[in-house]
Each structure stands twice: as C-alpha cells, then as structure tokens.
Amino acid sequence: MKELVSIITPSYNSEEFIEETIDCVLNQTYENWEWLITDDLSRDNTVAIVQRYRDPRIKLQVLEQNGGAGNARNKSLERAQGRYIAFLDSDDLWQPEYLESMVNYMEEYKAELVYCNYSRCDEHTMQPLLKDFQADKIVTFSNLLKTCRLAPVSTMYDTKRTGKFFFPVKSKREDHVMWLNLLKEIPRGYPLQKTLAKYRMRENSVSRKKKNIIRDQYLVYKDFMGFSTAKSLYYTANWALNGFLKYSKIFN
C-alpha cells in the first residue's frame, strides 16, 4: 500500500489560477493523496471554484477571519493525516510525476526531506523568466542560514521521521523559519535533480521585493533563531547577496 501524501495549500483570492492548480493535482500519477485547502477568507470566487470539484480527496476549509498564508498552512497541517507533507500554493503547478518521483526518491534514499528543481515562470504565460532553480546541493541547517534553497512548491518531508513542523504566524519569512526549525532536527535534505514544479512569479509577490524584507529576514535570525545582533547582520547580508544573485536578471 502506497503511503498517503498530504498536500498543504493556502488560498486567498486565487480565482485566476486555482483551476489550473487543481487540474495539475488531479493529473498526478501518484493517486494516494489528500489535499487540504484552507481558504483565508477570499473575497472572490475561489471557494466556489474549489467546491465544483467533487473528488473526496479534496478537503476544503474556509476560515472565519483572514490570518495570512502561514496560519492557513498551519490549519491544513493540523488536519493532515499523511506520512508525507507536500506544499502547493494556489497559483503554482506540478508536473504529473511530481508526487510519484518525490516519494520514490525519499523511499529509495531513506531521506527525511527532499527538494527538486523548479521553473520560475511568468505569472500569465507560464513561460520561464529565468533558468530553472537547481536542486544541486545537500541542504543543512548551516547552509540554509545563508540562503533559502527550499521552496514550498518543490519540497516534501516525512512526518514519520520528523514529526510535523508548523509556520510561525508572526514572521513574514515564515517559510524560511519553518525550514530552519526542521533542519535543526535532521542532518540533511537531499536534492532530486529533476524539474518537477513550476513557480509562478507574481508581480506583487512579497518574496520579489527584496529591499522591503531585509528587516524581516534579519528578524529570522535575531528573534526566531536567537542569534546575536552581529551574527544576525552577518547572515542577513549573506541572504541579501544570494537573493540578488538568484534573481539578478530581473533586477538588471
């Protein structure tokens, strides 16, 4: 019997893209999954679109008040029953073999965490804007401090070996904090060098506004990791440099 995968998705005003995202999950070659979509009180037709799908594996929860993506992911995590946790935002996409490839790789190498390559695409055409992000390094707590190589769309972990890890709701860099907390508990995460996911690069994406989030990144180290001011500044500088290099073609 194949292990159950829990797919974690926050949604908010996603009507433009969520049908395409739903279709990519329904087309997965790995079929033993549950999809926990938590809607963060959308003001558009997102909820109605999701409700049109009658697949019992799709489990929608609508929150009574808006709490942000981290909180919505946590609500899905609380309900998750699967051994493997996968993340898919409501505007991103997977190749049909994503779940099968990730699970097979984790089982073959007995890995607690795996991440893969992903395409970085225009939000409307889904044509690549940059070269694919390469999963080319083993990730550890130490090297994840300097740059966050893990994206929700391309990362999976094994709760049987790690337990569940939740997102800090008071951080605007909640993904990075969660991955760091996870990597504190395991020795490493492994790269699967296949492009299996597509990340939609939105014009209004917080992660694209590097100058506006340097303070938030500093707080990752100062508040959430408990580092000294000097150590926090050191890692913030490294993160900023690596972030510039990661998206340098956009800024040129």
Side-chain angles (χ1 to χ4, degrees):
M1 180 67 179
K2 292 184 176 181
E3 298 282 358
L4 179 66
V5 177
S6 293
I7 304 167
I8 306 300
T9 297
S11 65
Y12 179 70
N13 292 347
S14 305
E15 65 178 4
E16 183 178 359
F17 304 116
I18 197 165
E19 286 186 83
E20 194 175 1
T21 301
I22 292 171
D23 289 341
C24 89
V25 174
L26 294 176
N27 289 330
Q28 289 296 300
T29 57
Y30 190 98
E31 297 181 343
N32 191 25
W33 50 261
E34 61 171 0
W35 193 1
L36 303 154
I37 301 174
T38 300
D39 186 80
D40 204 20
L41 203 61
S42 290
R43 294 172 293 178
D44 63 3
N45 293 317
T46 299
V47 170
I49 291 170
V50 176
Q51 289 174 334
R52 291 205 301 261
Y53 292 83
R54 300 300 182 184
D55 193 309
R57 296 172 296 178
I58 300 175
K59 303 171 183 179
L60 173 67
Q61 177 183 12
V62 181
L63 299 181
E64 295 182 356
Q65 61 183 25
N66 183 279
N71 177 66
R73 288 191 184 115
N74 287 343
K75 296 298 183 183
S76 289
L77 281 164
E78 288 171 2
R79 298 183 289 139
Q81 299 296 312
R83 172 172 180 173
Y84 298 116
I85 299 292
F87 299 94
L88 181 64
D89 284 355
S90 57
D91 55 358
D92 292 333
L93 302 174
W94 287 335
Q95 299 292 354
E97 67 274 19
Y98 176 83
L99 290 178
E100 186 170 20
S101 297
M102 296 287 276
V103 169
N104 288 344
Y105 190 81
M106 294 189 79
E107 293 180 347
E108 180 179 358
Y109 290 94
K110 296 180 172 58
E112 293 97 342
L113 180 149
V114 168
Y115 75 114
C116 68
N117 303 352
Y118 62 90
S119 301
R120 297 177 283 183
C121 302
D122 178 86
E123 65 176 301
H124 300 296
T125 67
M126 290 307 288
Q127 293 301 309
L129 289 175
L130 300 169
K131 292 191 298 184
D132 290 355
F133 182 84
Q134 298 295 312
D136 56 1
K137 292 182 180 179
I138 288 176
V139 292
T140 64
F141 176 77
S142 179
N143 63 32
L144 203 68
L145 286 168
K146 292 185 177 181
T147 182
C148 189
R149 304 189 64 79
L150 303 179
V153 69
S154 61
T155 307
M156 179 183 289
Y157 71 87
D158 181 355
T159 64
K160 186 174 180 179
R161 304 182 68 190
T162 67
K164 291 182 183 179
F165 280 80
F166 293 85
F167 294 80
V169 296
K170 294 184 179 180
S171 173
K172 293 182 180 179
R173 302 292 297 156
E174 68 269 12
D175 294 0
H176 199 176
V177 175
M178 188 276 285
W179 299 128
L180 285 170
N181 286 335
L182 197 161
L183 265 296
K184 283 182 181 179
E185 304 301 323
I186 65 174
R188 61 190 63 85
Y190 290 91
L192 173 55
Q193 295 183 24
K194 292 182 180 180
T195 302
L196 299 170
K198 293 183 178 182
Y199 171 70
R200 197 184 298 267
M201 299 184 71
R202 307 285 294 276
E203 284 298 322
N204 62 349
S205 172
V206 173
S207 63
R208 294 273 300 279
K209 299 175 182 177
K210 296 297 179 186
K211 292 180 181 179
N212 297 335
I213 60 171
I214 288 178
R215 179 180 180 276
D216 296 318
Q217 188 65 30
Y218 169 80
L219 295 176
V220 168
Y221 309 114
K222 181 66 174 175
D223 288 357
F224 292 95
M225 296 297 110
F227 292 170
S228 68
T229 298
K231 192 173 182 179
S232 298
L233 289 170
Y234 168 77
Y235 282 115
T236 302
N238 276 272
W239 171 86
L241 176 60
N242 284 311
F244 176 80
L245 295 174
K246 183 178 178 182
Y247 293 104
S248 59
K249 287 188 178 180
I250 293 175
F251 298 134
N252 289 339

